[in-house]
Amino acid sequence: MEVGGDDILETKPTSEEVRFGHYYDYEELTRVLKNLVSNYPAASRLRSIGKTPEGRDLWLVEITNFREGAAESKPAIWMDGNTHAGEVMGSMICLRTIHYLLKNFGSEPYVTKLLNDVVFYVVPRVDPDGAEFFLKTHYYALPGDNETGGGRWYPLSKEEWTRTQSGLYMEDVNGDGSIASMRIEDPNGDWRVSSKDPRIMVRRGPSEVNGPFYRIYPEGFLLNHEGGREIRMAAARWSMNLNRNYPDDWSKQEIDRGSGPYPLSEPETRAIVDFIVDHPNICLAITYHTHGGVALGYSEEAKLPKEDQRLFGILESIFVKETSYVADARSPKPKGNFANYLTLHRGIPCLIIEVWDMAGLAGIGNFVERGGFGFSYASMTEDQALKVLEWSDRELKGKGFVPWTEFDHPQLGRVEIGGWKARFLWRNPPEEFIEREADRNALFPIRCAWLLPRVRIVNWETKKRGENIYEIKATVANLGALPTYVSKHAVNIGGVKPVEVRLELSEGAKLLGSQDISRIQLDGYLIRDIAEPKSERVVCGDKHRETLVWHVEAKGAHKVTIRVNSQRAGKDEVTFSIPH
């Protein structure tokens, strides 16, 4: 299925403004994408690259000026969001980038020139089924839990889970529309009420003996519970994790982390990999997750050439400058994740962007200062919790917290239910902050797109060297910042072919003493930053261009065509006549 195309060339003004005041469900997202493509047909197409298990389309938007060549003939940026069911902010950032590019195409020279030369492939929602489940129920993943599969029972069926498992599972027990926490008074409990604000629970100190003390659990019911004071969490119901299903270091032993029965077992991941393999023009990739406010580069540096490590550093520095967030290449990546697969197996450098940093906004420090992902609402100090609560009261008028309220639990008796509303406080921005967060992150891919390699024939000439003998010279240059191969690792693994320069002669002309195809690689202007340190830059030379020479025997007038074809740096051609 495809919407838009070359048959309609004029850009129309938008008939419906894209709004960022709430999170779009599948029908709304589909309608907005179709409207955008309909309103800007000269620069966009919408296609379904696959179907989810529940039959939803996996939408991909192509954005480029189709009048300046097919998308496949240009270098490309890949973007995606919402790989995890509960990380819906990624979809909104992708949508904001799409909207910005299309709205400014034809009117803003910066954007128009970019879309003449490059293409964006954008999948706003990698997990449409999961996002729908997240947006239309009250479920979410707790820190350390893995109920992110969006209602897809895995690894057990519902019947198996009900029959064989036991423990606490999350539910909206009191029917107030959210899943918060339950506190149960217990003299052996390890939590107590803060003396500074009764809404906050703090860890009990080793010498504290004067209660009351509490145990704290997620709000929920007990499955196959046979009594007793000890309560453990039941096995997760919906553990399929699409970001563990990619081939890189995939591990069946991580089945409890949702890796799937085999790599690419899920239709969403399979569709994405098939598309990427079929589009070798993809140079860089950006995948949006939540939360943390950080760009995560490739952490297994020993597996990458030094040039690629420096390239990641450049991309991360652009991200920090653009967003004022931080970068941290040290954080380990889980097995079977998308970014590692692209970087290591396809030679496509991929950044994981963890957007939304509510903790940072509350004054607790950024991702690096907090020590990474170990920070969560359950591990906050009392002072940190007070800062978050103060921020919630000020910015959300208290909507980020459920007041503790007594409730007669049908299995546990008297409990109190309350605590943080994690779904749209920690995991995703509250609706009031969607547009601000989208604007903060949406231009980063555009900055990266300006780095992409672009091959051009910048000069050509012919000279007569004898009776019916002509010398043809052509200079091919890379006008982009990155080399035509982008990643040195891609060259090492055979993941990218050299640039092909082909000479074509009309019938009757004859090439003398050389081949009609030359294969080259060209540096970009950032090579001085990507290559070895300063002491070796002097001997680098200017390798972003190369002049090729052919000798041709031709009687009478003939057409000559020079074609340049690069997997990752686009195409170019010139046609002229000899004698010239």
Side-chain angles (χ1 to χ4, degrees):
M1 178 188 298
E2 186 175 294
V3 179
D6 292 330
D7 53 329
I8 307 174
L9 295 180
E10 293 302 319
T11 297
K12 302 175 184 178
T14 180
S15 60
E16 177 181 321
E17 201 58 42
V18 181
R19 304 188 185 281
F20 293 88
H22 75 288
Y23 292 100
Y24 288 174
D25 65 18
Y26 174 76
E27 288 187 4
E28 291 173 308
L29 180 63
T30 299
R31 183 175 66 251
V32 167
L33 292 176
K34 287 184 176 180
N35 282 341
L36 283 170
V37 170
S38 176
N39 291 329
Y40 299 97
S44 60
R45 289 176 177 171
L46 179 66
R47 66 163 73 178
S48 172
I49 62 171
K51 292 281 190 179
T52 69
E54 295 180 6
R56 295 182 177 90
D57 285 297
L58 191 60
W59 294 120
L60 179 141
V61 185
E62 288 179 296
I63 304 174
T64 191
N65 184 355
F66 290 99
R67 289 171 287 190
E68 294 293 325
E72 291 79 4
S73 69
K74 304 176 185 180
I77 286 271
W78 171 275
M79 289 177 58
D80 69 52
N82 211 164
T83 294
H84 292 129
E87 299 181 356
V88 289
M89 186 61 212
S91 294
M92 304 305 290
I93 293 172
C94 290
L95 182 59
R96 184 69 183 97
T97 302
I98 294 169
H99 181 244
Y100 178 88
L101 287 168
L102 296 181
K103 187 176 181 181
N104 288 284
F105 172 68
S107 60
E108 170 55 58
Y110 178 88
V111 171
T112 304
K113 185 178 187 307
L114 180 65
L115 293 184
N116 288 343
D117 295 335
V118 307
V119 58
F120 289 78
Y121 296 126
V122 189
V123 176
R125 184 158 288 170
V126 173
D127 188 6
D129 292 353
E132 204 73 358
F133 183 78
F134 176 80
L135 290 170
K136 295 184 175 180
T137 70
H138 309 305
Y139 298 110
Y140 68 98
L142 290 168
D145 191 17
N146 197 44
E147 291 208 321
T148 57
R152 192 180 310 183
W153 286 88
Y154 178 84
L156 302 175
S157 68
K158 183 177 181 180
E159 294 73 21
E160 291 173 321
W161 180 83
T162 303
R163 185 181 72 254
T164 65
Q165 299 301 304
S166 63
L168 180 69
Y169 61 97
M170 294 185 297
E171 290 290 347
D172 178 15
V173 172
N174 61 359
D176 67 351
S178 65
I179 297 176
S181 299
M182 300 186 299
R183 67 183 187 188
I184 304 173
E185 191 169 341
D186 186 332
N188 291 320
D190 49 6
W191 294 86
R192 63 172 175 82
V193 176
S194 168
S195 60
K196 298 178 181 179
D197 191 309
R199 293 174 292 179
I200 293 173
M201 303 300 292
V202 297
R203 292 282 185 182
R204 176 184 184 177
S207 60
E208 291 187 80
V209 294
N210 296 320
F213 301 113
Y214 298 84
R215 294 189 184 274
I216 298 180
Y217 304 99
E219 182 179 355
F221 292 111
L222 297 172
L223 174 69
N224 298 328
H225 185 59
E226 297 179 356
R229 301 291 294 175
E230 186 177 19
I231 299 175
R232 298 181 180 275
M233 291 297 297
R237 291 163 284 186
W238 314 297
S239 287
M240 174 53 63
N241 188 334
L242 297 181
N243 207 35
R244 307 294 181 269
N245 191 232
Y246 290 93
D248 178 71
D249 202 16
W250 181 88
S251 174
K252 181 69 172 180
Q253 280 65 47
E254 292 199 4
I255 191 168
D256 60 326
R257 301 190 64 197
S259 59
Y262 53 87
L264 304 181
S265 61
E266 306 311 298
E268 299 92 336
T269 57
R270 185 75 199 193
I272 286 172
V273 166
D274 284 346
F275 183 90
I276 290 171
V277 170
D278 289 342
H279 291 77
N281 58 323
I282 296 173
C283 299
L284 300 173
I286 299 167
T287 179
Y288 284 104
H289 293 248
T290 65
H291 54 95
V294 62
L296 301 175
Y298 192 74
S299 58
E300 298 182 68
E301 291 187 357
K303 295 184 178 181
L304 293 180
K306 290 182 178 179
E307 297 94 324
D308 293 353
Q309 296 175 35
R310 295 188 183 98
L311 171 57
F312 270 108
I314 290 170
L315 298 176
E316 290 162 7
S317 68
I318 294 172
F319 171 79
V320 171
K321 184 176 181 180
E322 179 65 35
T323 66
S324 299
Y325 279 145
V326 297
D328 184 9
R330 299 168 300 171
S331 295
K333 312 300 184 296
K335 296 180 178 182
N337 80 83
F338 176 66
N340 278 12
Y341 164 71
L342 282 189
T343 301
L344 201 60
H345 291 253
R346 306 301 309 174
I348 302 172
C350 180
L351 279 181
I352 301 172
I353 307 299
E354 299 280 353
V355 304
W356 180 239
D357 186 17
M358 192 281 302
L361 290 175
I364 298 176
N366 64 36
F367 177 88
V368 175
E369 293 167 341
R370 295 195 305 265
F373 280 114
F375 182 88
S376 70
Y377 66 88
S379 64
M380 283 186 289
T381 66
E382 184 175 21
D383 287 342
Q384 289 172 334
L386 286 168
K387 287 182 179 180
V388 173
L389 198 56
E390 179 185 356
W391 182 88
S392 173
D393 289 344
R394 182 180 68 251
E395 300 291 342
L396 307 178
K397 311 305 179 191
K399 290 189 299 182
F401 194 92
V402 178
W404 295 103
T405 305
E406 287 192 8
F407 184 80
D408 187 14
H409 194 286
Q411 295 169 302
L412 298 172
R414 190 181 73 85
V415 303
E416 292 178 78
I417 297 177
W420 304 105
K421 289 185 177 180
R423 283 158 43 89
F424 298 109
L425 179 70
W426 297 96
R427 195 73 181 272
N428 298 278
E431 289 185 342
E432 299 93 320
F433 286 81
I434 294 175
E435 186 166 11
R436 187 186 310 182
E437 189 69 12
D439 286 347
R440 183 175 192 170
N441 289 276
L443 296 186
F444 171 63
I446 298 173
R447 305 291 186 222
C448 292
W450 276 100
L451 303 178
L452 300 189
R454 291 172 289 125
V455 290
R456 293 292 183 270
I457 303 170
V458 296
N459 185 51
W460 62 94
E461 61 181 18
T462 63
K463 290 184 179 180
K464 190 170 184 178
R465 293 303 189 187
E467 186 67 26
N468 299 325
I469 303 298
Y470 299 90
E471 180 182 84
I472 299 173
K473 283 187 178 181
T475 300
V476 179
N478 173 18
L479 305 184
L482 299 179
T484 52
Y485 50 86
V486 178
S487 159
K488 187 65 180 295
H489 180 66
V491 176
N492 294 345
I493 64 173
V496 60
K497 296 179 180 178
V499 179
E500 289 189 350
V501 184
R502 180 189 296 267
L503 182 74
E504 298 179 2
L505 304 171
S506 60
E507 187 175 355
K510 179 181 179 183
L511 182 65
L512 301 175
S514 59
Q515 295 182 337
D516 59 346
I517 300 177
S518 299
R519 293 175 174 84
I520 60 176
Q521 292 285 19
L522 299 173
D523 293 337
Y525 63 76
L526 270 182
I527 194 66
R528 296 172 182 85
D529 297 302
I530 298 172
E532 291 299 317
K534 295 181 180 178
S535 61
E536 301 190 22
R537 291 181 187 175
V538 176
V539 298
C540 261
D542 189 4
K543 298 181 180 178
H544 81 284
R545 62 175 59 209
E546 187 162 334
T547 299
L548 299 108
V549 181
W550 300 270
H551 291 91
V552 173
E553 181 181 0
K555 296 179 181 180
H558 286 273
K559 290 284 187 182
V560 176
T561 299
I562 300 173
R563 303 183 194 275
V564 181
N565 183 14
S566 170
Q567 283 186 320
R568 294 189 175 182
K571 300 179 180 181
D572 197 18
E573 67 177 67
V574 294
T575 299
F576 51 91
S577 298
I578 52 174
H580 188 58

